[in-house]
Amino acid sequence: QLPLVESGGGLVQSGGSLRLSCAATGSTFALYAVAWFRQAPGKEREGLACITRGGDGATYLDSTKGRFSISRDSAKNTVYLQMNDLKLEDTATYYCAARPTVTGAWCSSTRILFNSWGQGTQVTVSS
């Protein structure tokens, strides 16, 4: 399991922006595809975005495409989620998750496929 720590959450007004960070430790970060999930109270955890191990491919949930952008900095062992034009419905606890993979094109929004998880960071969007 790869230790992951999320940060960057907070309180933001509707229409504002936040950048979340997912920091990993260890020397094997480049072998992992990384995804962002979120979970609001009473709702299922949903996959938002995934970035390939090499950072050359990404997938997004349709409802966030165009507003959210995932990226990674291998030198810093960090994956980011840039969130723009935030809406009230974006209020949730945000988690990052990682899975080691050999294929460079692998990404997924299926949470059971990820074996490494952070503790989450809270994002609250106010009107």
Side-chain angles (χ1 to χ4, degrees), residues 30 32-34 50-59 72 101 103-107:
Y32 289 77
V34 179
C50 181
I51 190 165
T52 60
R53 55 178 284 179
D56 56 352
T59 58
R72 68 191 297 160
T101 178
T103 60
W106 192 91
C107 260

Side-chain angles (χ1 to χ4, degrees), residues 71-127:
S71 62
R72 68 191 297 160
D73 187 336
S74 295
K76 296 181 179 180
N77 271 19
T78 301
V79 170
Y80 303 98
L81 183 68
Q82 179 67 45
M83 305 187 295
N84 299 321
D85 191 25
L86 285 163
K87 306 178 184 299
L88 294 179
E89 305 86 75
D90 295 320
T91 295
T93 301
Y94 285 69
Y95 302 87
C96 64
R99 176 185 173 89
T101 178
V102 176
T103 60
W106 192 91
C107 260
S108 178
S109 60
T110 304
R111 60 185 183 273
I112 61 172
L113 297 180
F114 293 86
N115 64 324
S116 299
W117 291 85
Q119 294 299 307
T121 185
Q122 179 67 35
V123 172
T124 302
V125 183
S126 63
S127 61

Side-chain angles (χ1 to χ4, degrees), residues 4-40:
L4 302 171
V5 179
E6 303 96 337
S7 63
L11 177 65
V12 63
Q13 289 188 332
S14 179
S17 299
L18 285 174
R19 188 182 72 164
L20 306 183
S21 297
C22 175
T25 59
S27 60
T28 60
F29 176 73
L31 302 178
Y32 289 77
V34 179
W36 284 95
F37 293 78
R38 70 183 179 191
Q39 187 166 23

